[in-house]
Amino acid sequence: MEDFTTFICYQLKATMKKVEKYIAQQMAEFGVNMAQSFILFSLLEKDGSTLSEIGNRSQIENSSLTTMVDKLEKEGLVERRLYAQDRRVIKLYLTEKGRELGQKILDEGSKFNKYLRNNMGEATPQFLEALNRISESIDQLNDQQKTKKIR
C-alpha cells in the first residue's frame, strides 16, 4: 500500500496548513483574515471593482465574499457604491483607512513571500510553473467531470 503522506496533494495540504497558520497569526495583528486581506489587495490593484471581479481575482466564493465585505465595511475599510451606468452593479472602494491597512498588510505579505522564495532558491520559477500546470489540468478535469454529469 502506498503511503498517502507521500502524495503530492497531501504534501501541498500539509505545507499550506502551516502557511495559513503563520499568515493567520500575522493577519490577527491587523484584525483581518487571509481572505479579507486578498480583498484589500484586489482593491489596491483595482479600486472600484465589482464583487464578482474581486471574487474571481482572490479565489473567494460569492457566498463567503459578501460576509467578508460586510465585516470590512463595518470596520470602515471599504465602501459599496452603486455603479452610475447600471444601478444593479455594486462596486467596492477602499476607504483611506482601508488603503493604509491594505498597504501595511501587503508589505508584510511581500516580506513573507520573499522568505518563501529565498527558501525555495533557484527552484522557484519551475515550482510556480508546475503549480500553474497542475491548477490548469485540474480545471480541465473538473470541466470533464461536469460534462460527464450533464450527459
Side-chain angles (χ1 to χ4, degrees), residues 4-150:
F4 74 91
T5 65
T6 65
F7 290 2
I8 292 171
C9 59
Y10 177 86
Q11 291 293 319
L12 287 170
K13 172 75 171 158
T15 302
M16 196 57 207
K17 189 173 181 180
K18 291 176 185 180
V19 168
E20 287 176 344
K21 182 178 179 181
Y22 177 82
I23 291 173
Q25 292 168 344
Q26 297 297 314
M27 294 301 103
E29 294 179 29
F30 299 107
V32 297
N33 62 35
M34 185 167 54
Q36 290 167 330
S37 72
F38 292 162
I39 295 169
L40 297 176
F41 297 164
S42 292
L43 292 172
L44 284 172
E45 286 180 356
K46 185 182 172 205
D47 207 19
S49 296
T50 65
L51 293 182
S52 294
E53 291 169 337
I54 294 167
N56 290 335
R57 178 80 172 123
S58 59
Q59 295 291 300
I60 301 171
E61 299 293 326
N62 283 342
S63 57
S64 301
L65 185 62
T66 301
T67 303
M68 287 183 219
V69 169
D70 287 345
K71 183 178 184 288
L72 293 172
E73 190 173 38
K74 183 179 176 185
E75 296 294 322
L77 301 173
V78 300
E79 62 183 21
R80 289 177 171 101
R81 296 183 200 158
L82 292 176
Y83 183 52
Q85 282 79 6
D86 185 348
R87 295 183 54 82
R88 296 171 296 178
V89 176
I90 296 173
K91 295 203 171 208
L92 200 62
Y93 292 87
L94 287 168
T95 63
E96 191 56 40
K97 179 180 174 184
R99 185 172 312 288
E100 289 172 14
L101 182 64
Q103 191 58 58
K104 286 179 189 175
I105 297 169
L106 183 59
D107 292 344
E108 288 301 314
S110 293
K111 287 178 193 174
F112 186 56
N113 192 55
K114 185 176 181 180
Y115 169 82
L116 294 174
R117 284 179 175 272
N118 287 341
N119 277 283
M120 291 180 64
E122 294 178 15
T124 302
Q126 295 87 355
F127 179 76
L128 295 175
E129 287 174 24
L131 286 178
N132 284 328
R133 279 194 312 273
I134 290 168
S135 180
E136 289 173 6
S137 70
I138 291 173
D139 285 343
Q140 290 173 354
L141 282 175
N142 283 329
D143 290 344
Q144 289 171 4
Q145 289 288 68
K146 288 177 189 174
T147 303
K148 285 181 184 177
K149 288 180 182 178
I150 292 173

